[in-house]
Amino acid sequence: MLRSNEAPLWALFSTGGVVAAFLIPVHLVLFGLVFPLGWLRPPTYEHLLGILRNPLAKIYLVTLCSLPLFHWAHRFRYTLYDGLKVKHLNELIFAFCYGGAAIGTVLAVYLVWRIS
Amino acid sequence: MGESIVLEIARYSPERDAEPHLETYEVPLRKEWVVLDALNHIKDKIDGSLTYRWSCRMGICGSCGVMVNGEPKLGCATFLSSYAGRKRVRVEPLRYFPIVRDLVTELGDFLAKLKKVKPWLIRTDGPLLREGEYLQTPEQLDDYRQLSMCINCTLCYSACPVVGLDALFVGPAAIALAQRYNKDSRDRGAKERTLILAHPDGIWGCTFVGECTRVCPQHVDPAGAIQQYKVGSALAWFEGLIMPKKRRKTEDRHGAAAD
């Protein structure tokens, strides 16, 4: 009987969900509310740039961008399958969703690695 | 006569009707009556041809599942008084199942899926039964106890939109029951169940809508059981990627998705 290749895709979806739910809100609150409203003193541009020059910070940022994209890809794929009932377009939807997430990841890597 | 309530019941006779239609019946609205009591009242006093399944009347046999106002419910556990404010209560056969007659559905497909996941203890090693029982600690029992409460009422199948979209999906109860035996310390059948569970029509068909868990009258949590199996499968897949030699061994335990 055919076995599934869904495990790694689901793992990306699952970890992406955790990142989207727990880490992204922290960044949104910090950079969208706390710093602009002056609740905490914002870091200087040089300070942030210094952090981003650290390879670990770059890996973190890429992960922060990439995993939620794969979370979106998996959820959107099934939304199209079940919501629009277009499972017969499986290959196209698969390429669009995960291909989009992969392109987003490559773009994130490019942008983050350019910081020097 | 005291207060009454109107039931709209789906009726279908394959030899007479092209498709189901609704018929209305007025029944007494008694505080202690459940939907099944109302059906029994109709059959005894109004229309003896009404056909439905029931047996224990106490939420154990799982026979009397019906759609009540669009929600899968056990007829014996759904009080009419809960619907006292409504003008009508609609009672229909469980959704996504072929209808045999009136409220009776065809369970052959479900039973075939159930059988496929081998929901029984599988042992090919260890002492024979006549040499004594397999002992189990209370903690080992707790691992699967809740999953063993399933009464095969199939409410979860009627609640699951994936079942409605994909007829091949193994479905919540069968997967939960497979997990019940996978988690049993006496069982050695996880490998045999893997081919069915770690399949596109098995756990990966589930999109975690969670309705199965919400409607389960036994609080079995099939959705949780499916997600647990997904985590085990995903971890086994990555373990196999890092340590290919261990791959086969871990697949046996967790049903990793092989290429």
Side-chain angles (χ1 to χ4, degrees), chain A residues 1-8 10-12 14 75 78 81-83 85 87, chain B residues 165 194-196 198-200 204 207 230-231 234 237-238 251 256-259:
Chain A
M1 194 175 237
L2 177 74
R3 299 181 109 190
S4 174
N5 288 316
E6 284 284 308
W10 182 83
L12 286 170
S14 181
R75 181 53 80 199
Y78 278 97
Y81 281 176
D82 298 343
K85 298 183 183 172
K87 206 169 183 176
Chain B
L165 289 164
T194 293
L195 287 175
I196 305 298
H199 184 271
W204 303 118
T207 53
K230 282 182 180 176
V231 172
W237 189 91
F238 282 107
E251 272 180 35
D259 294 324

Side-chain angles (χ1 to χ4, degrees), chain B residues 145-157:
Chain B
R145 187 204 290 267
Q146 197 53 42
L147 293 171
S148 75
M149 298 295 171
C150 176
I151 54 174
N152 298 334
C153 65
T154 68
L155 297 196
C156 54
Y157 280 70

Side-chain angles (χ1 to χ4, degrees), chain A residues 58 62 102-116:
Chain A
K58 291 184 180 195
V62 168
I103 289 169
T105 302
V106 170
L107 198 63
V109 169
Y110 172 71
L111 290 173
V112 169
W113 248 251
R114 276 182 67 203
I115 299 168
S116 57

Side-chain angles (χ1 to χ4, degrees), chain A:
Chain A
M1 194 175 237
L2 177 74
R3 299 181 109 190
S4 174
N5 288 316
E6 284 284 308
L9 297 176
W10 182 83
L12 286 170
F13 161 75
S14 181
T15 47
V18 172
V19 169
F22 289 105
L23 295 181
I24 287 184
V26 174
H27 289 264
L28 287 178
V29 169
L30 280 177
F31 290 93
L33 290 173
V34 174
F35 295 144
L37 295 176
W39 296 343
L40 283 177
R41 203 171 57 185
T44 61
Y45 176 79
E46 287 70 27
H47 181 70
L48 278 179
L49 196 62
I51 292 173
L52 286 178
R53 284 190 182 119
N54 187 321
L56 286 177
K58 291 184 180 195
I59 291 169
Y60 172 78
L61 259 192
V62 168
T63 307
L64 197 70
C65 297
S66 173
L67 287 178
L69 281 174
F70 280 96
H71 178 80
W72 162 82
H74 198 70
R75 181 53 80 199
F76 195 62
R77 173 184 154 210
Y78 278 97
T79 302
L80 292 176
Y81 281 176
D82 298 343
L84 299 182
K85 298 183 183 172
V86 287
K87 206 169 183 176
H88 58 281
L89 301 174
N90 180 33
E91 284 81 9
L92 194 67
I93 291 169
F94 195 95
F96 171 73
C97 293
Y98 297 109
I103 289 169
T105 302
V106 170
L107 198 63
V109 169
Y110 172 71
L111 290 173
V112 169
W113 248 251
R114 276 182 67 203
I115 299 168
S116 57

Side-chain angles (χ1 to χ4, degrees), chain B residues 109-124:
Chain B
D109 182 59
F110 164 69
L111 293 172
K113 286 173 178 169
L114 197 59
K115 196 177 167 189
K116 268 204 308 193
V117 301
K118 304 186 178 184
W120 53 79
L121 284 179
I122 296 171
R123 278 304 283 239
T124 50

